[in-house]
Amino acid sequence: MKKPQNIITKAAPVLSVAVIVCGWALIGETGLVPAYMLPSPSEVVKAFIEDFPLLMQHSAVTLQEAIYGLFGGTALAFVFAVLMDRFDFLYKALYPILILTQTVPTIAIAPLLVLWMGFSMAPKITLVVITTFFPITVSLLDGFRAVDRDAVNLLRSMGANRVQIFTKLKLPASAESFFSGLKVSASYAVVGAVISEWLGGFEGLGVYMTRVKKAYAFDKMFAVILLVSAVSLLLMAAVALLKRLSMPYKNKK
Amino acid sequence: MGQLSAQNIGVSFDGRQIIKDVSLHLNEGEIVSLLGVSGGGKTTIFNCLAGLLVPDTGKVFSDDTDITGKPGKISYMMQKDLLLPHYTVLDNACLGLLIKGKSKKESRAAAQPLFETFGLAGTEKKYPHQLSGGMRQRVALLRTYLASDGVALLDEPFSALDAITKHTMHTWYLQVMEKIRLSTLFVTHDTEEAVLLSDRVYILGGNPGTITDEIQVTLPGKKEDRDPSDPDFQSFVKLLQQKTAINIT
């Protein structure tokens, strides 16, 4: 038997989304906003179905850029976090630079990257790497630093070396923190890829977006916006799955 | 293996002397308590004995080998159980063996039969958060024993437990020690616990901390039969209280 409280909590998000969609449909039907500016949900769905093969083709490219970038960002984050955790002077030297990379607007570096690297996938992946590695680095560093000093001493008293302390204690203890960083980065990754596609390229959801924008095709515009958030959600769900698989002990009651 | 001794160890931090001229020894199979008030330097002594800290003066010997500043020889158990949440109970127990380079298979085979002895049968595949505080301390002691070469340091291992669990743990502890013969140096600030569990008691006092007294607990019979309400037991508790009280004033 489930408690009624539980059902209400589960139904709440479904309900709120339903209300928003209904309100949106109503605004279109009543003519409060002209249909060419705000297409109704049904028109958006129609546009989505019409362009489905094209959208899938573009999504595949965007998703590919996002995933490659995310892998690159994660790898870079590991290198940074491990070195910064091991050498205090590197922590002090690099931390301000890390912060600085986050204050530079993505929109501003994207065209530069295109100029340097051309219209291929490389500048897009690079931009995703730049936007995703920061949250992962910080969450990993926090994870490493939150490890109990006494636990480190316990392993040392058993004669453990640095590598053993890292693999047996620090790394697994940071998993929780790492995955929360990765989740944030996963959502950044898709958005980063789309933004970089706006500024130059031949394929991807961002390219599709700029094209339909020029054609004033609002229905297609809405369809692609929803698709971008769906792709983001998909990637975040993949991260959640990965977390569950790599931390089996969390699921045991 | 099973003997440990410290000779004239002294440590100071930032110009302040924490412990001075601490000499003690532990014979094979003995349980010896180190009794003193909190902040008296007990943990500093333990860190030296475990090799985590190099004393400014003095040396630490395991049997006849100089192990000053060499971790990995003397096993150490702290007040917190420090079980790793990402390993099963069995793998937590094996931790010391794994770190010493034994294979997973070998370590598990060594640990498995001891689960019965430690009253932990059936918990092997569980994770630490599924166990009660008392059970977790049992796993911690098993891990300490497996990692040891016959000598272990126990730093107030039962002080975080509630009174009832603590009492059960004392009985359990003496029964297990009877079987495994682990030479143990036991830090506590509980005089009754010291009398209940020890063959000998060192009193740590003064500032900087040093060994001010050594008392042989000469109660007749087995340790398991020691009764806190017995007048002889009580007189030992009183004696220890007096000895530690002198150090405070």
Side-chain angles (χ1 to χ4, degrees), chain A residues 125-146:
Chain A
I125 294 172
T126 309
L127 192 82
V128 175
V129 170
I130 293 172
T131 46
T132 56
F133 96 103
F134 179 74
I136 305 175
T137 309
V138 171
S139 59
L140 269 175
L141 272 174
D142 285 349
F144 292 158
R145 299 203 151 209

Side-chain angles (χ1 to χ4, degrees), chain B:
Chain B
M1 289 297 272
Q3 286 180 37
L4 173 70
S5 65
Q7 288 173 8
N8 306 96
I9 54 174
V11 175
S12 45
F13 287 123
D14 300 327
R16 198 173 76 87
Q17 188 99 24
I18 309 287
I19 52 167
K20 192 185 148 193
D21 257 346
V22 171
S23 298
L24 48 82
H25 66 97
L26 180 65
N27 300 321
E28 195 160 345
E30 247 188 334
I31 303 178
V32 175
S33 286
L34 186 61
L35 184 69
V37 291
S38 306
K42 289 178 290 190
T43 304
T44 309
I45 295 177
F46 264 31
N47 282 336
C48 288
L49 296 178
L52 296 176
L53 186 69
V54 185
D56 302 327
T57 58
K59 289 203 177 303
V60 180
F61 294 93
S62 159
D63 294 314
D64 290 322
T65 326
D66 183 352
I67 54 159
T68 317
K70 284 182 197 149
K73 307 285 179 221
I74 305 296
S75 209
Y76 194 168
M77 171 175 170
M78 299 180 209
Q79 185 180 340
K80 288 185 273 182
D81 57 67
L82 296 173
L83 298 179
L84 304 181
H86 46 273
Y87 286 144
T88 59
V89 169
L90 181 58
D91 286 345
N92 262 293
C94 292
L95 190 63
L97 298 175
L98 293 171
I99 282 172
K100 294 198 168 108
K102 289 237 166 65
S103 76
K104 253 196 172 144
K105 206 173 155 192
E106 251 181 303
S107 314
R108 284 177 179 166
Q112 185 63 60
L114 287 160
F115 272 70
E116 190 74 47
T117 317
F118 278 69
L120 286 164
T123 60
E124 293 90 337
K125 293 206 163 62
K126 291 195 169 167
Y127 284 98
H129 71 263
Q130 296 172 294
L131 301 185
S132 67
M135 291 298 260
R136 291 168 64 107
Q137 282 307 81
R138 289 185 190 205
V139 181
L141 185 68
L142 173 54
R143 176 189 62 198
T144 310
Y145 172 61
L146 279 168
S148 81
D149 255 348
V151 181
L153 308 174
L154 270 54
D155 191 353
E156 305 195 13
F158 308 131
S159 65
L161 302 171
D162 62 84
I164 299 167
T165 313
K166 193 172 174 174
H167 178 72
T168 331
M169 290 294 281
H170 284 152
T171 317
W172 166 85
Y173 175 71
L174 288 174
Q175 281 167 359
V176 170
M177 291 309 260
E178 194 62 31
K179 287 179 204 150
I180 61 175
R181 307 290 297 164
L182 179 66
S183 320
T184 307
L185 189 62
F186 195 105
V187 156
T188 181
H189 57 249
D190 180 341
T191 44
E192 197 173 298
E193 186 175 69
V195 178
L196 193 65
L197 303 178
S198 330
D199 297 302
R200 267 187 305 134
V201 179
Y202 283 113
I203 311 277
L204 179 72
N207 189 9
T210 191
I211 304 288
T212 54
D213 227 317
E214 181 185 343
I215 289 144
Q216 198 86 32
V217 183
T218 50
L219 287 168
K222 282 172 128 187
K223 270 193 226 138
E224 287 165 71
D225 302 328
R226 286 182 185 174
D227 176 8
S229 58
D230 175 53
D232 288 340
F233 188 102
Q234 284 299 328
S235 60
F236 267 110
V237 173
K238 280 220 179 70
L239 178 65
L240 291 185
Q241 277 167 351
Q242 282 164 5
K243 298 277 186 195
T244 40
I246 291 167
N247 294 321
I248 295 167
T249 48

Side-chain angles (χ1 to χ4, degrees), chain A residues 148 150 157 164 168 252-253, chain B residues 71-72 80 86 99 129-130:
Chain A
D148 193 339
D150 286 338
S157 80
Q164 285 173 321
K168 294 206 183 324
K252 298 249 171 129
K253 281 270 144 48
Chain B
K80 288 185 273 182
H86 46 273
I99 282 172
H129 71 263
Q130 296 172 294

Side-chain angles (χ1 to χ4, degrees), chain A residues 201-220:
Chain A
F202 310 107
E203 280 179 307
L205 290 174
V207 174
Y208 178 90
M209 248 183 205
T210 46
R211 282 182 196 157
V212 295
K213 191 192 92 187
K214 279 177 192 150
Y216 290 97
F218 281 88
D219 51 348
K220 289 184 182 175

Side-chain angles (χ1 to χ4, degrees), chain A residues 126-206:
Chain A
T126 309
L127 192 82
V128 175
V129 170
I130 293 172
T131 46
T132 56
F133 96 103
F134 179 74
I136 305 175
T137 309
V138 171
S139 59
L140 269 175
L141 272 174
D142 285 349
F144 292 158
R145 299 203 151 209
V147 170
D148 193 339
R149 289 294 313 160
D150 286 338
V152 175
N153 274 338
L154 174 76
L155 265 73
R156 277 184 56 212
S157 80
M158 290 172 170
N161 56 34
R162 274 181 197 284
V163 178
Q164 285 173 321
I165 290 173
F166 184 75
T167 55
K168 294 206 183 324
L169 176 66
K170 281 193 167 183
L171 196 60
S174 316
E176 181 96 50
S177 175
F178 164 71
F179 278 109
S180 41
L182 188 63
K183 197 174 163 190
V184 173
S185 286
S187 66
Y188 285 6
V190 177
V191 176
V194 169
I195 289 179
S196 65
E197 286 163 356
W198 283 353
L199 298 156
F202 310 107
E203 280 179 307
L205 290 174

